[in-house]
Amino acid sequence: MDDNNKPGPLRSRPTMRELVYFCVISLVLLVSLAIAPAKNYFSEWRHYQKSYLAIAGQRQSGTLVRSFQGGLHQTWIAKLGVVDRCESCHVNLSGALVGASEQPFRKHPPMPHKLDEFGCVICHRGQGPATSVKEAHYTTEAWEQPLLPARFLESGCGQCHLGPLQGAPRLNEGRSLLSSMGCVHCHTVAQPDGNVLKPDDNPPPLTHIAEKTSREWIYAWIKNPQLYAGSATMPNFQLNDQDAADISAFLIAQSSASPASGTETKTVATAAPSANASIEAATLYGASFCSSCHAIQNEAGNLVGGNLGPELTRVGSKVNPDWLRRWLDNPSSYHPGTRMPHYRMDQKQVALLSGFLLAKKDNDYLANVHLAPASADSIARGKKLVAETGCAACHQINGVNPPQNFAPDLTLVGSRALAQVVFAPGMKHNLPDYIAAKIHDPRSFGPGLKMPKFALGDSQVDELTTALLAQTDRAAGFPKELIISGGRTTNYHPGGKAGRLMEDLRCLSCHAINGNGGDMAPDLTWEGSAVQHTWLEDFLKNPNTLRPALIRRMPKFNLTPDEIKTVTDYITSAYQSPALDLQPLDPHVLNADAAGRGKQLFYSKYGCQSCHIADYKNDKGYVGPALTSVGNRLTPEWTYNWLKEPNAFRPATLMPNFSLKDDEARDLTAFLMTLKAKQGGGK
Amino acid sequence: MKLLRIAMFVLAVLLGGCKPSGPQTLKPAAYGTQIVEVSGGKQWAQVGSALPQPVVLQVNSADGNPVTGALVVFHGNGLEFNPPQTLTDSSGQVTVSVQLGFNPGDFQVIAETPKSGGGNATVNLREIALGYEQAVGKAVNDKYCIRCHDPESTPERVSNHDNLSPAPHQFTDGATLNRISDADLTNMIAHGGPALGKSPQMPAYAATLKPAEIKAVLSYIRSIADPPYQAPGVKYGK
């Protein structure tokens, strides 16, 4: 049996060593199989759900515990591209468990949208699909979208709400800064509905600059605009002395003669400057309401006045006296696009006011500026610098075309991939910090960068960042019905002879008409329906104020009777509201009985005297316009319709809608129409 | 498990040992006995943003004179301070800018200064963060309510408060407004003063404001009330 000596077939007992190998491998296999379920079991979200149930159990909220559904909670909104699992840990967003004050169980504060319609990441950013705290909230290697800091949260709103939005003041302010600081001269910012933000800072043309100021002033100004006027919006280009000298040389050299330069201004030989003259001049400055648009720093260092025009604190160190007189005489012959009205001052007034302004002088301002005479080289170099610096993006300059695509398009800056972003050394790698740093100090990213440094406070930087973070590619893909466009300004301009006159007076700098114009003064779209012809004539002749407490008021324009008639006729016939025809008022009902009842309503039921003055002796309401002579001012039809629904005529009005009954509105109208005191107060 | 605890303990000891090279603690040059608010308490701003005015505090000695060079350390749950600690200046004061946290409601600024004999003198300041709803309320307030309910005037807006009799309540007047229920306040805003037998000088806003706006104003009034408003109902600990 040779066969017996042969080595046994496969059937043999495994050695000890083989057994150990086998055990270890099985164990490893078993363990590795268990990793997945264990990871799931020990996951953070499960831990949080357990603690939630524990708290709910302590509070003995049986219903909460019973109704709780464990597991990953996912919100999926296909049309918005949202996949959120935030509610796996944030299980109490609805606030069902009262008083849980620690995250992740805090109740979500009230908000305008439903969670299951918009999800979380649309507003908060972060990684919706992530299931660990770190990956959901912070930047990791695989995820680059951290949670948005609270101060930029309103950028979420701005993705769909493209106009001003109540409850998002920082977003609104940021957007208006993009226009008012002139950012959008160089950067394109287009919104998802196609609207492109427009600048509204109205930089002056430099084509005739040599008439206006000196090369020394230009030099000092471009070196540091805020040194001349703290409120200046022009940014600091951090130019060195040589560059500033060359640019100023070129700007003077390119200047051509303005159409105004031909007009001779007589330095009227007013009586020797007396104490009276300076008082008279200050009075004229006040009575012309220059401070509605221009600010002057007072002795305490506070700016007093508006910001529609440049600050005038040191204007005497800036302007050429001849230029100033011509400017006051007619601003638009120097700057056709100016917002300053043509005041129609006489020579004496021009002399008084220019004297007053020229005295606003800082003798130290240009004391240390000594420039070498401009050479051809310096001028040529200045021209090159002006082109490189992009001055012509904002200012009109002879011989330099406005640059195209001068700065990066910011339309989608709010979702720029971090991989494409070059961070400055030492800064945090996230988009909000990058944008904020870029706005705060652009040159910190490298000395050769073109973007200048704007004079912005910390909160303004945050507001601008908020507005820019709203420019996401996510929003560009949203369904069109979600996008809520802002009210766009029209390009309405009054036409004809009256229109030209109204342009000359720059009515639209302060008043809006048909969706175009400023917001400093009342909207005039329906002014023709509102006011009586005679009153308007008197008002334009001498605009005494309707609102005694207001500081910004309508100036007096020294119009001729003909001009007044032209404007009045135009306003009363062109600016009529069709809504008045829908609710006509029979003038016969405005009788003494009705007026008596109206007086009762005015004083007792509706307390109108808390905001209006009907009688100077007793009433003290300073919120709305004085009504002492409203019977001469407003038409009865307008008064009746206005009382019934003020916000239908002027959406921005402060006057509440009292939802008056027809007869109440009629009685009040009757009462108001009896108020015909002489204008200017008194009885 | 035990091993882990030991490891953590060792780590903690190591980290603790490292501390002096970590965030530097300023050395106080002097010590005061009390710290008081100069300005900056009870301000409000939107969640996450900086308070409009810095917080200014003063450290005094036992005899009430300001102390220069005393250390003041700030902390507060959810708040960021710049700087987080500082020494008092020559007039014994410190100025710190405060950034609010993520959640609407009250925040506590706690400032401590070490006393010479050991222990700390502290002062607590309340600051208020406005969330979305309160921000809407503030916007409505700034347009409509403020004209009469705020006695402060600005160049753009002259207050009508002092012209009215009875004088309107300021919204910070918690002592009065906290006693009025949500329903009553809503009613008064919507239907005017006479709805609750008050002055007709308070107009009805039901046809001007949306219900959500009225709710937002109420929320704003409640959040800035001083003393703070306590909603009725069961209170839980954390």
Side-chain angles (χ1 to χ4, degrees):
Chain A
M1 301 284 274
D2 284 340
D3 283 349
N4 282 350
N5 291 337
K6 284 184 181 169
L10 295 167
R11 306 248 121 243
S12 75
R13 289 172 65 89
T15 61
M16 197 58 197
R17 177 180 283 237
E18 279 166 345
L19 265 178
V20 169
Y21 280 155
F22 178 72
C23 283
V24 168
I25 289 171
S26 317
L27 213 67
V28 167
L29 191 73
L30 207 68
V31 168
S32 65
L33 280 177
I35 286 177
K39 247 173 115 178
N40 184 9
Y41 184 77
F42 291 110
S43 62
E44 284 169 302
W45 58 268
R46 210 175 277 277
H47 161 72
Y48 286 125
Q49 292 187 353
K50 275 186 206 148
S51 354
Y52 173 76
L53 286 174
I55 299 172
Q58 280 166 17
R59 302 266 174 85
Q60 302 180 346
S61 314
T63 3
L64 270 188
V65 177
R66 275 193 301 280
S67 65
F68 183 75
Q69 294 188 336
L72 273 178
H73 295 249
Q74 177 169 293
T75 312
W76 179 44
I77 306 162
K79 62 173 183 175
L80 302 179
V82 165
V83 180
D84 280 1
R85 294 175 178 160
C86 315
E87 284 184 88
S88 306
C89 299
H90 297 276
V91 286
N92 191 35
L93 291 181
S94 65
L97 177 63
V98 177
S101 57
E102 294 295 311
Q103 285 296 25
F105 305 133
R106 214 180 272 139
K107 180 187 173 188
H108 196 286
M111 60 177 160
H113 294 300
K114 289 202 182 97
L115 260 181
D116 49 356
E117 285 173 11
F118 287 89
C120 308
V121 293
I122 291 250
C123 298
H124 288 279
R125 302 202 173 200
Q127 319 287 352
T131 52
S132 77
V133 174
K134 195 178 167 209
E135 290 192 334
H137 298 84
Y138 307 105
T139 309
T140 63
E141 271 173 34
W143 307 92
E144 67 170 24
Q145 188 73 270
L147 216 58
L148 201 58
R151 61 186 197 279
F152 305 121
L153 209 50
E154 289 168 15
S155 67
C157 318
Q159 297 175 99
C160 297
H161 298 271
L162 308 184
L165 179 67
Q166 196 186 36
R170 296 160 77 78
L171 173 71
N172 299 341
E173 187 56 30
R175 283 210 177 116
S176 85
L177 282 170
L178 283 176
S179 292
S180 65
M181 296 304 289
C183 311
V184 291
H185 280 293
C186 294
H187 295 280
T188 306
V189 181
Q191 298 188 309
D193 65 347
N195 181 38
V196 179
L197 297 191
K198 291 184 198 69
D200 70 354
D201 54 341
N202 198 12
L206 307 181
T207 43
H208 320 298
I209 183 86
E211 285 169 22
K212 181 176 180 177
T213 184
S214 64
R215 186 178 160 212
E216 283 72 21
W217 183 84
I218 299 176
Y219 170 87
W221 164 258
I222 58 179
K223 289 252 328 177
N224 184 355
Q226 282 70 38
L227 207 61
Y228 168 76
S231 64
T233 53
M234 165 131 162
N236 187 338
F237 288 85
Q238 294 165 339
L239 298 165
N240 62 36
D241 293 358
Q242 185 60 47
D243 290 354
D246 292 346
I247 290 177
S248 62
F250 167 68
L251 288 178
I252 293 292
Q254 59 84 42
S255 174
S256 60
S258 77
S261 62
T263 40
E264 204 47 45
T265 54
K266 284 155 261 170
T267 14
V268 178
T270 37
S274 60
N276 260 354
S278 75
I279 293 170
E280 214 179 319
T283 313
L284 183 60
Y285 182 84
S288 306
F289 293 106
C290 306
S291 64
S292 295
C293 299
H294 296 280
I296 290 182
Q297 213 173 33
N298 65 12
E299 276 149 22
N302 299 320
L303 276 183
V304 180
N307 60 2
L308 209 55
E311 182 183 328
L312 301 177
T313 310
R314 296 182 181 87
V315 68
S317 304
K318 170 184 178 183
V319 297
N320 178 344
D322 276 340
W323 175 87
L324 181 61
R325 280 189 285 272
R326 284 199 295 270
W327 171 264
L328 290 173
D329 189 48
N330 186 1
S332 58
S333 62
Y334 177 82
H335 178 6
T338 182
R339 293 186 280 212
M340 169 132 161
H342 180 191
Y343 267 89
R344 295 160 159 70
M345 289 187 199
D346 61 27
Q347 295 287 346
K348 186 182 169 226
Q349 287 175 314
V350 167
L352 266 178
L353 200 52
S354 59
F356 174 79
L357 291 173
L358 291 170
K360 305 252 162 247
K361 198 169 177 158
D362 178 354
N363 287 326
D364 299 337
Y365 181 63
L366 295 177
N368 293 321
V369 181
H370 304 290
L371 297 175
S375 65
D377 272 3
S378 156
I379 291 171
R381 194 166 168 272
K383 182 171 185 178
K384 192 166 148 276
L385 282 169
V386 162
E388 283 170 8
T389 317
C391 309
C394 301
H395 299 280
Q396 203 186 334
I397 299 170
N398 291 319
V400 184
N401 291 328
Q404 300 300 316
N405 301 325
F406 189 66
D409 188 318
L410 299 182
T411 298
L412 298 178
V413 67
S415 48
R416 187 166 290 177
L418 291 191
Q420 295 171 7
V421 171
V422 182
F423 291 96
M427 68 175 293
K428 282 190 215 152
H429 283 217
N430 63 57
L431 197 58
D433 279 345
Y434 167 74
I435 296 179
K438 197 85 186 176
I439 298 171
H440 175 67
D441 190 3
R443 304 280 167 99
S444 66
F445 287 79
L449 294 179
K450 280 187 289 192
M451 176 155 159
K453 186 174 165 64
F454 286 81
L456 295 164
D458 286 349
S459 65
Q460 287 176 311
V461 170
D462 282 357
E463 284 155 0
L464 277 166
T465 308
T466 304
L468 289 175
L469 284 169
Q471 298 291 127
T472 61
D473 55 4
R474 191 198 275 274
F478 280 166
K480 286 284 166 278
E481 68 269 17
L482 279 184
I483 302 292
I484 298 160
S485 297
R488 288 190 212 173
T489 54
T490 62
N491 46 15
Y492 170 80
H493 281 279
K497 190 178 164 199
R500 280 195 299 280
L501 192 53
M502 287 168 74
E503 291 288 296
D504 199 34
L505 297 172
R506 295 290 189 274
C507 300
L508 294 183
S509 293
C510 301
H511 296 277
I513 305 177
N514 291 327
N516 186 25
D519 60 359
M520 197 196 295
D523 188 306
L524 299 183
T525 308
W526 311 128
E527 191 70 359
S529 297
V531 299
Q532 299 178 18
H533 193 281
T534 333
W535 176 84
L536 186 54
E537 276 190 336
D538 284 350
F539 183 75
L540 289 173
K541 212 175 289 169
N542 189 13
N544 55 4
T545 185
L546 299 169
R547 295 167 191 266
L550 271 194
I551 288 170
R552 291 177 189 175
R553 296 187 199 166
M554 168 107 164
K556 188 179 166 186
F557 289 118
N558 304 322
L559 298 168
T560 65
D562 256 8
E563 288 173 327
I564 287 177
K565 187 165 183 318
T566 310
V567 173
T568 309
D569 286 351
Y570 187 81
I571 289 178
T572 46
S573 54
Y575 299 139
Q576 291 281 346
S577 166
L580 294 201
D581 305 336
L582 302 176
Q583 297 271 351
L585 178 73
D586 178 5
H588 294 104
V589 300
L590 304 180
N591 51 35
D593 277 359
R597 289 193 299 273
K599 189 170 183 178
Q600 281 289 318
L601 291 171
F602 187 94
Y603 282 106
S604 303
K605 183 162 181 192
Y606 291 110
C608 309
Q609 75 280 12
S610 52
C611 291
H612 295 281
I613 294 168
D615 169 3
Y616 271 117
K617 276 193 192 142
N618 304 319
D619 304 344
K620 288 179 175 174
Y622 281 94
V623 179
L627 300 176
T628 47
S629 54
V630 69
N632 292 328
R633 179 164 70 92
L634 298 179
T635 64
E637 296 79 21
W638 170 268
T639 311
Y640 174 73
N641 281 279
W642 169 266
L643 285 170
K644 288 186 68 175
E645 207 180 352
N647 34 6
F649 294 94
R650 285 182 193 144
T653 184
L654 288 186
M655 166 110 170
N657 181 344
F658 288 89
S659 40
L660 298 176
K661 295 186 205 76
D662 288 0
D663 58 333
E664 287 182 324
R666 195 188 58 216
D667 293 346
L668 274 167
T669 306
F671 168 61
L672 291 174
M673 288 302 120
T674 63
L675 301 175
K676 298 191 175 186
K678 277 234 172 76
Q679 288 187 358
K683 257 242 151 173
Chain B
M1 213 54 203
K2 202 167 180 186
L3 210 72
L4 193 75
R5 280 194 188 159
I6 291 170
M8 277 173 71
F9 177 73
V10 170
L11 203 70
V13 168
L14 276 176
L15 282 176
C18 287
K19 208 173 179 186
S21 66
Q24 288 285 321
T25 314
L26 288 171
K27 276 261 161 60
Y31 296 91
T33 56
Q34 56 154 213
I35 179 165
V36 291
E37 175 192 347
V38 177
S39 68
K42 292 174 192 163
Q43 299 184 73
W44 50 88
Q46 276 187 277
V47 284
S49 56
L51 290 175
Q53 299 297 321
V55 168
V56 183
L57 303 168
Q58 183 169 322
V59 176
N60 290 333
S61 61
D63 50 8
N65 292 324
V67 177
T68 303
L71 173 68
V72 180
V73 182
F74 303 96
H75 45 98
N77 202 359
L79 296 171
E80 276 180 41
F81 298 94
N82 183 24
Q85 49 174 306
T86 182
L87 299 180
T88 52
D89 63 11
S90 56
S91 51
Q93 297 188 346
V94 290
T95 304
V96 64
S97 64
V98 182
Q99 186 173 308
L100 299 173
F102 220 111
N103 291 282
D106 283 9
F107 284 89
Q108 293 294 327
V109 171
I110 303 160
E112 293 182 332
T113 183
K115 292 198 270 196
S116 57
N120 287 321
T122 63
V123 63
N124 280 28
L125 270 63
R126 174 188 174 218
E127 310 291 357
I128 301 154
L130 307 178
Y132 165 76
E133 193 176 40
Q134 294 88 27
V136 173
K138 183 173 185 298
V140 174
N141 166 69
D142 289 356
K143 182 173 176 190
Y144 296 102
C145 321
I146 198 170
R147 308 269 165 164
C148 296
H149 283 278
D150 182 353
E152 292 288 318
S153 289
T154 66
E156 288 76 27
R157 168 183 57 74
V158 176
S159 171
N160 201 33
H161 179 269
D162 298 340
N163 295 326
L164 298 177
S165 167
H169 290 292
Q170 291 183 49
F171 288 167
T172 46
D173 179 6
T176 310
L177 296 178
N178 289 352
R179 292 205 309 259
I180 308 177
S181 71
D182 285 3
D184 282 354
L185 275 178
T186 307
N187 230 338
M188 243 186 284
I189 300 171
H191 305 297
L196 265 88
K198 308 258 179 186
S199 162
Q201 297 197 97
M202 168 69 201
Y205 280 95
T208 308
L209 300 175
K210 299 184 204 88
E213 289 176 314
I214 295 179
K215 185 162 172 278
V217 173
L218 181 62
S219 170
Y220 174 68
I221 295 175
R222 294 308 196 196
S223 66
I224 62 168
D226 179 34
Y229 174 70
Q230 299 286 335
V234 192
K235 302 280 183 303
Y236 293 103
K238 281 185 177 173

